[in-house]
Amino acid sequence: MSFEVFWFLPTSGDTRYLGKSNTGRPATNAYMRQIAVTAESLGYDGLLIPTGSSCLDPWVTASSLIAVTQRIKLLVALRTSVTGPTASARQAATLDQALNGRLLLNVVPGGDAAELAAEGVYLDHDQRYEAADEFITVWRDLMAGKTVDFTGKHVNVKQARNFFPPVQQPAPPLYFGGSSPAAHELAAKHVDAYLTWGEPPAAVAEKIADVRSRAEKYGRTVRFGVRLHVIVRETNDEAWAAAERLISRLDDDTIAKAQSNYASMDSEGQRRMAALHGGRRDQLEVSPNLWAGVGLVRGGAGTALVGDAQTVAARLQEYADLGVDTFVLSGYPHLEESIRFAELVFPLLPGKKPVTLIDQVLTGGAFDVRATAPENAEKIAAESAVAA
């Protein structure tokens, strides 16, 4: 089974260190384009474009990538609590046309009541999932070309219609992540791919089994994916040193404030992320090579796979053995780590091609070809042609 490997666009900014440092990078559109072009050239299958009050708008960001990418898919947030299904259907169809069928949609009901209140939305946890259920029901009918009359608790439309069909029929695939029973029911009923944040494999197996069982009630099947950070180096010792370096600028006060903020949210997924480490630095390896240090201060995905290429590839395979076929990855800083992961790990993943010349004598000088044996020069030329 080939893996589908996505990278992440850091639309709220990027850094070499979590916490206070002088290495922060602003979330400019130019930087997002740089990461996107790099990820496409390396062979990543898609890009997750996140959403939130601290992020650049995902739809505008995705639109800005149309002209600079040709192959890579864009996974864009579909905010079911803050937008209406009719306008969203038109947006999605238009963007899918512009991308020539490369649009994927990440359903986001929302997990932070304070952020939603700023958007004028005052729904509790289960109400958000009720609204998302109604939204997707209407949205799918609109994308299929139907004229829709719908009267629900949260969504009411009369003679709604989408006049611009997407390239992907009947609609771009829907991805979604959530850990509560209400979230699992929504996934089972509506989405194409269920994503979980990087919990230990046993916990991921339980979530997959629950979603799969619920989907069977609707006569449906669902694909599965995992959202993870990665810290990969040439040796395990180097990787763990890089993990410690990433949080070396964090102080206890910053961690406590971040954890207090996340504790105020009614997101079950966020609660599960926080429970992995409890805000403590001394219990961060929560499963072999699964490190929760990122989650000390970062909301959302808070775990990273740490190790050399062989170790990280083996851990990814453990998730794949559970039924996972999609990995949405990231690393700090996102530009450099997209290259490092592809160089070190892609040769070990099913369906991925090496992005480097292997077992070659190279100096970076102008006379490399003359300085190496003729057969080596021929191998370089042949591998370069394959990579192109």
Side-chain angles (χ1 to χ4, degrees):
M1 177 181 70
S2 295
F3 292 175
E4 187 177 56
V5 182
F6 290 16
W7 198 246
F8 178 83
L9 281 188
T11 58
S12 60
D14 206 359
T15 183
R16 290 185 181 276
Y17 299 94
L18 300 180
K20 186 179 291 186
S21 76
N22 296 321
T23 65
R25 300 179 187 176
T28 65
N29 189 255
Y31 186 47
M32 298 307 111
R33 293 198 304 270
Q34 187 178 11
I35 295 172
V37 170
T38 300
E40 179 171 80
S41 69
L42 291 167
Y44 287 92
D45 298 290
L47 287 167
L48 172 60
I49 306 177
T51 186
S53 57
S54 63
C55 299
L56 298 173
D57 181 82
W59 289 82
V60 176
T61 300
S63 297
S64 75
L65 302 178
I66 293 168
V68 296
T69 60
Q70 289 78 45
R71 178 195 56 79
I72 200 164
K73 298 175 183 178
L74 304 183
L75 180 53
V76 183
L78 186 64
R79 296 295 302 272
T80 57
S81 295
V82 300
T83 58
T86 308
S88 292
R90 186 163 57 250
Q91 273 186 311
T94 303
L95 186 54
D96 194 49
Q97 287 184 9
L99 288 167
N100 195 27
R102 292 188 285 130
L103 177 63
L104 308 172
L105 293 163
N106 184 30
V107 176
V108 182
D112 182 356
E115 181 181 70
L116 288 169
E119 302 277 1
V121 177
Y122 300 92
L123 301 176
D124 65 25
H125 179 277
D126 286 355
Q127 287 173 334
R128 293 198 296 271
Y129 284 100
E130 290 175 352
D133 180 16
E134 294 179 4
F135 180 109
I136 299 172
T137 298
V138 172
W139 186 89
R140 281 202 179 276
D141 281 347
L142 289 168
M143 296 300 277
K146 298 179 182 179
T147 300
V148 182
D149 289 309
F150 185 92
T151 301
K153 184 177 177 181
H154 305 278
V155 175
N156 293 278
V157 298
K158 199 175 282 189
Q159 292 294 290
R161 188 175 172 189
N162 173 47
F163 295 94
F164 304 95
V167 172
Q168 300 174 89
Q169 289 294 318
L174 295 181
Y175 288 61
F176 165 77
S179 297
S180 67
H184 284 191
E185 192 68 14
L186 184 76
K189 186 176 181 180
H190 287 296
V191 307
D192 302 290
Y194 172 80
L195 300 175
T196 175
W197 289 330
E199 298 182 24
V204 171
E206 290 179 1
K207 294 171 110 177
I208 288 175
D210 187 48
V211 172
R212 185 174 280 151
S213 174
R214 291 171 184 263
E216 288 174 357
K217 295 186 306 181
Y218 297 103
R220 303 185 68 247
T221 58
V222 179
R223 293 173 48 229
F224 297 97
V226 177
R227 168 79 180 97
L228 285 159
H229 303 280
V230 284
I231 302 174
V232 61
R233 297 294 185 270
E234 292 186 37
T235 69
N236 280 309
D237 286 345
E238 289 175 312
W240 283 111
E244 290 301 320
R245 192 161 52 248
L246 181 63
I247 61 172
S248 63
R249 309 292 175 90
L250 282 180
D251 57 58
D252 292 341
D253 184 57
T254 300
I255 294 173
K257 287 179 179 177
Q259 292 304 305
S260 176
N261 177 47
Y262 303 138
S264 69
M265 299 179 182
D266 60 358
S267 164
E268 175 64 12
Q270 189 63 63
R271 185 198 66 75
R272 291 170 69 105
M273 281 285 103
L276 291 175
H277 54 72
R280 297 173 53 179
R281 297 172 183 263
D282 61 345
Q283 49 186 24
L284 293 179
E285 190 176 4
V286 297
S287 183
N289 302 98
L290 185 65
W291 182 72
V294 177
L296 291 172
V297 290
R298 185 196 191 278
T303 53
L305 287 179
V306 181
D308 62 20
Q310 291 74 19
T311 299
V312 170
R315 298 303 180 210
L316 292 174
Q317 185 61 52
E318 288 176 358
Y319 288 114
D321 291 341
L322 302 177
V324 170
D325 63 17
T326 299
F327 296 95
V328 183
L329 307 177
S330 56
Y332 297 94
H334 290 71
L335 177 62
E336 290 92 321
E337 291 304 306
S338 70
I339 300 170
R340 191 194 304 270
F341 182 85
E343 288 182 345
L344 294 177
V345 185
F346 271 17
L348 306 177
L349 299 183
K352 287 285 167 281
K353 295 179 180 178
V355 300
T356 59
L357 301 173
I358 297 174
D359 194 27
Q360 302 299 323
V361 177
L362 298 170
T363 69
F367 306 107
D368 268 354
V369 174
R370 284 166 49 188
T372 58
E375 61 272 16
N376 195 43
E378 292 173 5
K379 280 179 69 178
I380 291 174
E383 291 187 12
S384 297
V386 170

